[in-house]
Amino acid sequence: MSPAKQASGGWTNPLRDPQDRRLPRIAGPCGMVLFGVTGDLSRKKVMPAIYDLANRGLLPPGFSLVGFARRDWADQDFAQIVHDAVKANARTEFREEVWEQLSEGLRFVPGNFDDDEAFDTLRRTVEELDQQRGTDGNHAFYLAIPPAFFGDVVGQLREHGLADSGTDAWRRVVVEKPFGHDLESAQALNQVLDDVFPPGSIFRIDHYLGKETVQNILAMRFANTLFEPIWNANYVDHVQITMAEDVGIGGRAGYYDGIGAARDVIQNHLLQLLALVAMEEPTAFDAEALRIEKQKVLSSVVLPSRLDLATARGQYAPGWSGGVQVPGFLDEEGIDPHSTTESYAAVKLNIENRRWAGVPFYLRTGKRLGRRVTEVAIVFKRAPHLPFSPLSTEELTSNALVIRVQPDEGMTLRFGSKVPGTQMEIRDVNMDFAYGGSFTETSPEAYERLILDMLLGDPPLFPRHQEVELSWRILDPVLDFWARQDEEGRTPPEPYPSGSWGPASADEMLARDGRAWRRP
């Protein structure tokens, strides 16, 4: 093995210090097999990300991409699909010389997931690429398919020797959320994967963990002395974590009905954000240290005893969104008119540890809300004493630090300041940090970062099965509570007008605690 080749699959310059961050890490010889090439995820995210990585010089010259699907395509047909996806969705400019090099490694294998002959062909294709493209036996299998088919595919990979890496090579599997639909199914899914691949070779993608602003939570907390002394129950009143979308379900009725907002977003994205915000400082910025601290936090999360007072759910009703009149959830094509699937979900959580005892975390997500925004708001306690007249501070609210994950990536610090004039009048002002205004580099797409990390074998941003199961342990009681309400015909999902900020029950949930949701 070349001294420049790392065990993880990346390449470094043997003449430079490995800690030198001026040069990027580049994936070593490798290829990827993509299942589900006809889906939106592959066309809009995975294929463009691969091109963008190649365009940035972060993939090896011999990188190969094999598509597998139930289509009667030749290699050139698949190449055209990738070409169109890249032209439509790539972040970086299209360069013909980059495309020509990438397209030389494109192959297509037609077949079904239960087709032994097709997987034999896939094995031969992979072996040929090792010889022709120098991929050295290093291959990742990206399952951009429904979880119901994971068992079929990984079973075929094992049966046909595709999961066996040999001594000096690696084989990895990549799976997308949802990681099950409850704790029991998540455990079954984890067992299916663990039976074929070792834990270090299983990469569960949560694309939110690849966003620059999510990673900046760790940088902001642990690279500065400014925040950590007040990052606790002595100073923090509560935390709000919001993922709001201004769109409806679109053409995803087949996936969304029966899944709902809580399973789709809270179980993964929002609980991962909670873990990053609430975790203790890790001993190092590596996969194991981060995982230990996140698991500690998730293990400490408890639900309030009265779920009827600590949860809310709703369905968007007809209304106006973005200046356009839109249908309600139950009027969307493909949705059962009697569906009880929620398009909005909110939950109050407590963290029973010394740092956060008594500080509620409010999580909410929904479709057809006022605007598209994802943010984490740390709202601080009011000053214990204000030596001003009540009229001077009647427009003063609580200090807050708001981490904007999307779309306007950055942070805002809200605090009180005197209004110019002869009177002592104090109002809220904002101090703002925006990625676009502070850095010349553009942020890569989350999938670029995550796919490259996977090819490098660098797993800090990928949740392990323990985190997935802990998240389901938190959410399952809420889902069971809602299911019992549906069976008993009590408290169905509450309608809320499209373009609003959700059902009244969600506002009442915070009002009972003397608080209110932010209106981003």
Side-chain angles (χ1 to χ4, degrees):
M1 181 180 294
S2 165
K5 187 172 182 180
Q6 297 178 318
S8 66
W11 287 80
T12 59
N13 184 341
L15 300 179
R16 75 175 179 94
D17 184 346
Q19 299 300 316
D20 189 342
R21 305 300 294 174
R22 291 173 295 179
L23 295 178
R25 296 176 68 196
I26 301 172
C30 61
M32 194 165 86
V33 179
L34 179 58
F35 294 91
V37 296
T38 59
D40 279 356
L41 173 64
S42 294
R43 290 184 293 107
K44 294 181 179 180
K45 295 295 183 182
V46 180
M47 295 175 187
I50 289 172
Y51 171 81
D52 288 331
L53 288 171
N55 206 9
R56 294 165 59 202
L58 300 178
L59 293 182
F63 181 83
S64 66
L65 176 65
V66 182
F68 187 104
R70 190 176 55 186
R71 293 288 190 275
D72 188 19
W73 290 344
D75 290 346
Q76 59 267 30
D77 299 318
F78 177 57
Q80 187 62 48
I81 295 295
V82 179
H83 178 274
D84 293 346
V86 167
K87 290 279 277 189
N89 301 296
R91 180 180 65 89
T92 58
E93 65 175 337
F94 186 84
R95 294 194 295 161
E96 196 63 41
E97 63 272 22
V98 174
W99 169 251
E100 287 178 4
Q101 179 173 293
L102 185 63
S103 63
E104 290 175 2
L106 298 180
R107 303 289 187 274
F108 184 76
V109 176
N112 298 321
F113 298 150
D114 60 354
D115 186 345
D116 288 332
E117 185 176 339
F119 278 86
D120 274 334
T121 303
L122 178 61
R123 176 180 51 77
R124 291 194 299 271
T125 301
V126 166
E127 291 171 351
E128 290 168 3
L129 288 168
D130 289 338
Q131 299 299 318
Q132 298 169 4
R133 304 281 294 171
T135 46
D136 283 5
N138 301 319
H139 295 276
F141 301 96
Y142 199 122
L143 308 188
I145 57 177
F149 298 110
F150 287 178
D152 296 334
V153 172
V154 298
Q156 290 279 30
L157 295 177
R158 176 177 56 186
E159 184 70 22
H160 295 273
L162 286 157
D164 300 328
S165 61
T167 54
D168 292 329
W170 52 258
R171 299 291 167 95
R172 295 168 185 150
V173 64
V174 184
V175 295
E176 285 273 351
K177 75 171 187 72
F179 310 125
H181 63 270
D182 57 15
L183 176 59
E184 184 178 358
S185 61
Q187 290 173 328
L189 177 58
N190 287 331
Q191 188 62 54
V192 165
L193 297 172
D194 289 343
D195 285 345
V196 180
F197 291 91
S201 297
I202 301 171
F203 290 76
R204 297 167 180 84
I205 280 194
D206 183 337
H207 69 272
Y208 259 62
L209 298 184
K211 293 182 179 292
E212 287 286 351
T213 38
V214 172
Q215 298 168 52
N216 193 44
I217 293 173
L218 298 176
M220 180 268 295
R221 286 190 59 192
F222 302 127
N224 302 291
T225 58
L226 178 63
F227 303 108
E228 199 61 18
I230 58 172
W231 209 264
N232 54 61
N234 293 327
Y235 297 96
V236 176
D237 179 78
H238 70 281
V239 178
Q240 297 183 22
I241 304 178
T242 298
M243 178 180 166
E245 298 179 88
D246 56 4
V247 298
I249 61 169
R252 301 176 69 215
Y255 162 78
Y256 201 85
D257 197 15
I259 299 293
R263 286 186 173 96
D264 191 41
V265 175
I266 291 181
Q267 184 273 333
N268 38 73
H269 301 331
L270 299 195
L271 284 175
Q272 283 289 324
L273 286 175
L274 176 147
L276 293 174
V277 168
M279 63 185 275
E280 297 297 322
E281 181 178 350
T283 56
F285 190 72
D286 60 42
E288 186 61 25
L290 288 171
R291 188 178 305 123
I292 288 171
E293 299 305 333
K294 286 198 291 180
Q295 287 174 206
K296 284 181 184 178
V297 170
L298 293 173
S299 298
S300 302
V301 172
V302 296
L303 288 160
S305 57
R306 291 283 303 275
L307 291 182
D308 56 328
L309 303 180
T311 66
R313 58 177 178 153
Q315 293 175 335
Y316 59 85
W320 292 85
S321 179
V324 177
Q325 196 164 14
V326 295
F329 180 80
L330 297 179
D331 302 318
E332 297 278 14
E333 184 177 352
I335 293 292
D336 181 345
H338 303 291
S339 172
T340 58
T341 298
E342 78 283 354
S343 64
Y344 178 101
V347 61
K348 172 184 175 181
L349 300 174
N350 299 313
I351 300 178
E352 296 295 341
N353 62 22
R354 184 177 292 270
R355 180 185 288 266
W356 296 112
V359 177
F361 282 67
Y362 300 102
L363 279 56
R364 63 172 168 170
T365 182
K367 293 187 177 295
R368 288 278 185 233
L369 297 180
R371 60 168 295 195
R372 172 177 171 263
V373 61
T374 299
E375 67 172 34
V376 177
I378 294 91
V379 182
F380 294 95
K381 294 179 178 179
R382 299 292 296 267
H385 173 68
L386 293 173
F388 312 101
S389 71
L391 291 177
S392 299
T393 58
E394 63 181 355
E395 295 187 43
L396 179 66
T397 63
S398 298
N399 299 154
L401 177 66
V402 181
I403 302 165
R404 303 189 305 273
V405 177
Q406 66 175 19
D408 304 315
E409 294 89 349
M411 291 193 305
T412 296
L413 181 63
R414 184 180 72 199
F415 57 94
S417 179
K418 182 185 178 299
V419 177
T422 58
Q423 299 295 320
M424 176 56 74
E425 182 183 358
I426 303 174
R427 294 182 189 171
D428 291 333
V429 295
N430 291 327
M431 184 181 293
D432 193 64
F433 152 66
Y435 264 86
S438 299
F439 299 104
T440 56
E441 300 92 343
T442 58
S443 298
E445 277 287 327
Y447 276 87
E448 292 176 53
R449 170 69 185 268
L450 294 171
I451 289 174
L452 180 61
D453 282 354
M454 179 272 298
L455 295 175
L456 290 166
D458 191 15
L461 300 178
F462 298 85
R464 280 282 180 92
H465 73 271
Q466 296 96 332
E467 293 173 58
V468 173
E469 293 180 10
L470 284 169
S471 297
W472 281 118
R473 290 185 190 277
I474 295 167
L475 190 60
D476 269 2
V478 175
L479 299 173
D480 292 343
F481 171 71
W482 288 345
R484 289 195 303 273
Q485 287 189 317
D486 294 338
E487 291 170 2
E488 298 167 4
R490 296 186 296 113
T491 320
E494 180 184 354
Y496 60 93
S498 292
S500 70
W501 281 100
S505 56
D507 293 329
E508 293 163 3
M509 183 176 80
L510 266 69
R512 281 190 289 267
D513 294 342
R515 302 182 176 99
W517 289 111
R518 281 176 42 81
R519 295 290 188 262

